[in-house]
Amino acid sequence: MPKRFRLTRRFNAAMTEDAYRRLKRFATEAGLDEGEALSFVFENFDSILNEETFGHRMRLFNAELDARKR
């Protein structure tokens, strides 16, 4: 029997404009709304993550974070 898809958790999330545009594009391409798209990404995080580049991308993001907040 398939698992029911219920969005049971809601939270406020702050996103950059670039991240929000990418989320909207991904959701539209997949035929999902933004909440469903985020659920997909996090439910499948381990299988969609490129472990070879993740650490490098995270370090770059963190290094630029303070400048991006200004």
Side-chain angles (χ1 to χ4, degrees):
M1 176 172 229
K3 183 170 67 170
R4 278 188 67 196
F5 188 79
R6 292 183 5 195
L7 299 176
T8 60
R9 302 285 188 259
R10 298 202 182 274
F11 65 97
N12 291 328
M15 300 179 85
T16 63
E17 284 295 320
D18 289 342
Y20 186 67
R21 280 193 296 271
R22 184 61 185 105
L23 172 63
K24 295 228 8 136
R25 189 172 81 219
F26 168 66
T28 299
E29 290 171 357
L32 304 170
D33 67 30
E34 290 87 358
E36 293 166 341
L38 283 173
S39 290
F40 170 81
V41 168
F42 285 106
E43 285 182 13
N44 297 286
F45 190 74
D46 292 334
S47 64
I48 62 175
L49 179 70
N50 183 338
E51 292 180 19
E52 294 176 11
T53 59
F54 179 75
H56 176 70
R57 294 267 185 195
M58 183 59 77
R59 284 189 298 277
L60 285 175
F61 183 82
N62 282 332
E64 297 172 350
L65 194 55
D66 286 334
R68 294 175 78 176
K69 288 180 180 179
R70 294 181 200 148

